[in-house]
Amino acid sequence: MTEIIVSALGKIILHGEHSVVYGRSAIACSLNIRTYLKLSQTKDERVSLVFPDIDLTQSWSLEEVNSIQFSQGCEILNPNPPTEDVIKQLKKIAGSGATEINNTASIVFLYIYLSLCKNRKQGIELKVKSELPIGAGLGSSAGFSVCLSSAFLILTGNVSAPGSDNIWKSDDLELINKWAFMGETLNHGTPSGIDNSIATYGKAIKLKSGTVHKLDKIPNLRILLINTKIPRCTKDLVAGVRRKYEMYEGIITPVLNSMEAIVSRCEAVLSDMTGNHCDVTSCYKKLQDLIDMNHDLLRFLGVSHPSLESVCKTCQQYGLHCKLTGAGGGGCAFCLISPETTEETLQTVEIELKKQNFECWETSVGGNGVMCHDPACGTTSSIPDFLKTT
Ligand SMILES: Nc1ncnc2c1ncn2[C@@H]1O[C@H](COP(=O)(O)OP(=O)(O)O)[C@@H](O)[C@H]1O
Ligand SMILES: C[C@@](O)(CCOP(=O)(O)O)CC(=O)O
Ligand SMILES: [Mg+2]
């Protein structure tokens, strides 16, 4: 019986969230915090979803799923963005009883499943478990979409699963990324593609107008992640910025251009930091200035939140520099830990943040993109117990 286990990782956007939706550049770094998916073929002639992170279990008979008039007319190598009509059909099938959140996850699943697997005769069960906080700006939606697209592209033989070295063919990665982008489109309408690309390729990337540039030279940055635990939804935040842009284009455009300039300064500093003659203190000072400036611009766009302001203020009191990451409106911020930050300062800041009911943990950037965990070659050790075969 076929079983496919895949995983994809989360990210921080160093700079360029929101402006990247308007064709400006953004830099994202992967975080080694992963979402795992297990696809099992079953004998029960059903299609079943088990998504405990969003409290969703859902099941359809194969007959029900195969009877859906799905008129997407999609080429596998070139997926079309779902039309309004298709979205309407998917929403109906996803079930009127589901909550908004659950509904989106089911819709993304149904779109990918029906586009790639319609009329299959064997039942499947899909389980997804993430180490990432969901809806907190660390790209859980993209990790989810990358897992779905890679699992179904492998199942249908459209991409080959890599061996234990986890080296994928570059065309396969490109195809996984294209389908994951469709998932993100269903999730929030006008994604830039940065989240699905970093979840697919890992390490660090710069993205501009949909084109991915891998950044090979990235210093090993220490990051303190702070989760305000204020729930928010990327779709609403992106829509809010769109309204502002449409109403005040002449005012917002220079802000987006400043964000682009921040990205290019950041890229230059990161590259200097990997060279031989770098003045570490001055490089960190520049990175800190850029973080402060970008957070101010994001606040101007209306995507901060009182909780994010408290996080930044607390960090500033101890000489640390912090910005929101992802769509904002709550969710996570990150703080750059420089070599001059003492462990004592770090501990004190963490205590202060926790007193305000924020969650924080230290992490570093980097990590493999999409991975296939083959039970036969023993790469399943990191998989959450919930997904392990009993
Ligand atoms: N582990 C998961 N299981 C099921 N759905 C998920 C999971 N992770 C993410 N999602 C989907 O992604 C949505 C959150 O996406 P989004 O608002 O973009 O926030 P994030 O910043 O975490 O990407 C969820 O509402 C759900 O539809
Ligand atoms: C706001 C945005 O720049 C990033 C959203 O990231 P997240 O879903 O909050 O992890 C949107 C996008 O790039 O598609
Ligand atoms: Mg998202």
Side-chain angles (χ1 to χ4, degrees):
M1 188 161 303
T2 308
E3 187 175 276
I4 296 167
I5 302 179
V6 288
S7 69
L9 36 62
K11 56 95 228 260
I12 52 168
I13 296 183
L14 275 187
H15 293 291
E17 48 275 268
H18 290 289
S19 50
V20 68
V21 175
Y22 298 82
R24 278 37 171 218
S25 317
I27 296 179
C29 296
S30 60
L31 297 172
N32 218 345
I33 313 177
R34 308 188 74 84
T35 297
Y36 294 85
L37 175 151
K38 181 165 90 172
L39 189 165
S40 315
Q41 302 219 56
T42 58
K43 292 197 176 122
D44 64 359
E45 301 191 357
R46 297 193 71 77
V47 173
S48 306
L49 308 181
V50 186
F51 298 163
D53 296 332
I54 58 163
D55 290 328
L56 173 78
T57 44
Q58 201 162 9
S59 180
W60 303 268
S61 70
L62 269 180
E63 198 188 341
E64 200 180 345
V65 168
N66 285 335
S67 69
I68 294 164
Q69 298 302 314
F70 186 68
S71 52
Q72 177 68 9
C74 216
E75 281 175 52
I76 289 187
L77 295 183
N78 275 311
N80 299 324
T83 60
E84 279 304 314
D85 191 46
V86 165
I87 294 173
K88 223 189 267 168
Q89 289 176 54
L90 295 176
K91 278 189 178 159
K92 227 193 293 161
I93 310 152
S96 52
T99 62
E100 173 73 23
I101 284 179
N102 292 347
N103 221 349
T104 310
S106 301
I107 289 169
V108 173
F109 159 76
L110 283 166
Y111 172 78
I112 293 180
Y113 177 82
L114 290 171
S115 303
L116 295 174
C117 300
K118 187 152 166 19
N119 294 328
R120 278 182 80 87
K121 300 280 179 283
Q122 184 149 23
I124 56 156
E125 183 193 63
L126 209 64
K127 286 184 172 176
V128 176
K129 187 85 193 97
S130 187
E131 298 162 349
L132 287 163
I134 313 295
L138 302 184
S140 76
S141 60
F144 176 71
S145 292
V146 168
C147 284
L148 284 174
S149 74
S150 55
F152 285 111
L153 286 166
I154 292 171
L155 180 73
T156 51
N158 287 299
V159 308
S160 338
S164 53
D165 55 5
N166 201 58
I167 298 174
W168 300 74
K169 287 195 210 129
S170 63
D171 286 356
D172 287 352
L173 285 177
E174 206 181 308
L175 192 57
I176 289 169
N177 198 26
K178 277 187 191 170
W179 279 96
F181 180 69
M182 294 300 124
E184 282 285 85
T185 304
L186 283 160
N187 189 46
H188 73 83
T190 54
S192 63
I194 190 145
D195 285 5
N196 48 281
S197 300
I198 189 74
T200 302
Y201 293 105
K203 313 284 184 211
I205 60 165
K206 182 171 102 166
L207 182 133
K208 187 176 167 76
S209 303
T211 305
V212 179
H213 306 270
K214 290 183 199 152
L215 300 178
D216 296 327
K217 290 187 169 176
I218 282 279
N220 190 15
L221 302 174
R222 276 178 79 192
I223 299 288
L224 183 68
L225 274 176
I226 304 111
N227 188 357
T228 63
K229 299 193 262 181
I230 300 294
R232 34 46 102 229
C233 161
T234 302
K235 186 178 181 175
D236 298 342
L237 288 145
V238 170
V241 174
R242 173 67 60 189
R243 275 195 297 278
K244 244 189 192 158
Y245 176 78
E246 279 167 4
M247 200 181 280
Y248 304 108
E249 191 177 334
I251 299 170
I252 299 300
T253 297
V255 175
L256 302 176
N257 291 341
S258 293
M259 288 175 160
E260 165 95 58
I262 287 176
V263 169
S264 64
R265 279 300 285 271
C266 177
E267 190 184 4
V269 177
L270 293 174
S271 163
D272 285 352
M273 287 171 85
T274 58
N276 292 332
H277 307 289
C278 127
D279 174 348
V280 177
T281 307
S282 116
C283 285
Y284 269 94
K285 168 80 180 80
K286 284 181 201 149
L287 288 182
Q288 290 165 342
D289 288 344
L290 296 173
I291 284 173
D292 291 342
M293 286 190 268
N294 198 1
H295 184 78
D296 287 345
L297 294 175
L298 287 161
R299 186 193 309 108
F300 186 89
L301 287 186
V303 297
S304 188
H305 182 272
S307 62
L308 288 164
E309 294 307 308
S310 294
V311 170
C312 290
K313 198 166 158 222
T314 305
C315 289
Q316 267 161 18
Q317 280 163 359
Y318 294 89
L320 299 177
H321 300 258
C322 178
K323 73 175 264 293
L324 70 85
T325 187
C332 288
F334 77 84
C335 172
L336 179 67
I337 305 170
S338 82
E340 285 170 8
T341 314
T342 64
E343 291 310 307
E344 196 188 344
T345 303
L346 207 52
Q347 269 177 21
T348 314
V349 172
E350 286 190 36
I351 290 168
E352 288 303 318
L353 291 167
K354 282 176 188 162
K355 269 192 210 156
Q356 295 171 59
N357 200 26
F358 301 135
E359 199 179 347
C360 35
W361 66 102
E362 194 189 322
T363 183
S364 56
V365 297
N368 284 328
V370 60
M371 291 180 79
C372 183
H373 307 265
D374 181 355
C377 59
T379 53
T380 55
S381 55
S382 55
I383 292 164
D385 286 344
F386 165 72
L387 297 185
K388 287 190 179 145
T389 314
T390 43

